[in-house]
Amino acid sequence: GENVEQHPSTLSVQEGDSAVIKCTYSDSASNYFPWYKQELGKGPQLIIDIRSNVGEKKDQRIAVTLNKTAKHFSLHITETQPEDSAVYFCAASRYRRNTGKLIFGQGTTLQVKP
Amino acid sequence: NAGVTQTPKFQVLKTGQSMTLQCAQDMNHNSMYWYRQDPGMGLRLIYYSASEGTTDKGEVPNGYNVSRLNKREFSLRLESAAPSQTSVYFCASSESHGNTIYFGEGSWLTVV
């Protein structure tokens, strides 16, 4: 079945450094790839997403890249700050087919040390 | 504008008991979802409702039932709770099927 693998499971960086989280997906028909941030005790919140007709998307310190051939996509956070500490989830779905079945990765716990 | 609101936030059940998790959204969204979150497994879709009047199974529907009461409300029912259903449950909604999904704050359920 459809599967999304996310690495690493934990990531610790110094404030100001960059952080990269990678995901691979199995369903070649997937064409929508959102990233969610989950703070302790709260629900996941969308931080950025990308569709398969775009290779890269940037929003201030956050960027996402997509390689459809290799079936992987990555989240890049530059100039990390302590408030970036959270659990990050990638996900994939067949957006056009409207299944609503976002398949999530296992999550990455990011710790930014001041 | 509260977004997605779910109740209760915490619940402890005994094996075999039943309970219903309530969810309501005030964003006039058509689609609603129930996910469960377990350590190391990410979020898994239990059931979803693409529009009022329809419901469909997700990845892990066994042991659960849902009701789309109206456009605003989508409830999740555990008929006979089992320890394997100990989890954090998230309700979510989107404007239409496949659009950006917005999550509630979560309901922590423990079955003993």
Side-chain angles (χ1 to χ4, degrees):
Chain A
E2 300 162 25
N3 189 44
V4 175
E5 295 287 334
Q6 183 173 346
H7 299 281
S9 56
T10 59
L11 180 59
S12 182
V13 300
Q14 283 296 135
E15 181 177 359
D17 287 351
S18 294
V20 181
I21 303 170
K22 299 181 179 181
C23 289
T24 59
Y25 59 97
S26 60
D27 183 1
S28 56
S30 294
N31 52 20
Y32 174 60
F33 308 93
W35 284 89
Y36 284 83
K37 176 183 180 183
Q38 185 178 26
E39 295 176 342
L40 197 62
K42 303 212 166 182
Q45 282 196 307
L46 179 75
I47 54 171
I48 195 168
D49 58 12
I50 192 168
R51 303 191 189 279
S52 62
N53 58 343
V54 175
E56 182 173 356
K57 185 176 177 180
K58 199 171 180 180
D59 183 4
Q60 300 182 341
R61 296 186 296 108
I62 293 172
V64 57
T65 59
L66 171 66
N67 183 329
K68 282 219 77 181
T69 303
K71 292 193 285 187
H72 66 69
F73 56 112
S74 301
L75 177 71
H76 305 254
I77 306 174
T78 57
E79 300 170 27
T80 53
Q81 300 165 4
E83 51 265 38
D84 294 330
S85 296
V87 180
Y88 291 81
F89 290 97
C90 63
S93 79
R94 296 182 185 184
Y95 176 73
R96 286 195 191 121
R97 292 204 181 177
N98 231 12
T99 64
K101 292 183 183 179
L102 267 181
I103 305 298
F104 283 85
Q106 296 83 355
T108 296
T109 301
L110 173 65
Q111 182 188 28
V112 180
K113 293 183 279 189
Chain B
N1 188 343
V4 179
T5 305
Q6 52 183 115
T7 56
K9 194 156 179 82
F10 300 98
Q11 183 74 48
V12 179
L13 283 178
K14 292 183 179 177
T15 297
Q17 284 186 318
S18 63
M19 77 157 297
T20 300
L21 296 174
Q22 307 285 355
C23 176
Q25 51 89 11
D26 62 2
M27 296 176 281
N28 201 34
H29 285 172
N30 291 309
S31 302
M32 297 186 74
Y33 313 84
W34 276 105
Y35 285 87
R36 62 176 287 174
Q37 183 176 31
D38 302 291
M41 302 192 75
L43 291 132
R44 292 181 292 169
L45 183 64
I46 304 170
Y47 269 95
Y48 66 100
S49 171
S51 60
E52 189 178 353
T54 68
T55 61
D56 282 288
K57 295 178 181 179
E59 300 170 72
V60 288
N62 291 346
Y64 305 95
N65 284 302
V66 290
S67 295
R68 183 74 182 268
L69 305 170
N70 48 54
K71 190 172 184 179
R72 288 187 65 246
E73 298 172 288
F74 188 41
S75 62
L76 178 72
R77 183 160 178 84
L78 286 70
E79 291 290 353
S80 178
S84 60
Q85 294 178 304
T86 293
S87 187
V88 184
Y89 291 85
F90 288 97
C91 179
S93 69
S94 63
E95 186 175 322
S96 64
H97 214 34
N99 278 3
T100 300
I101 292 177
Y102 297 88
F103 286 86
E105 297 280 274
S107 295
W108 274 254
L109 176 66
T110 301
V111 183
V112 297

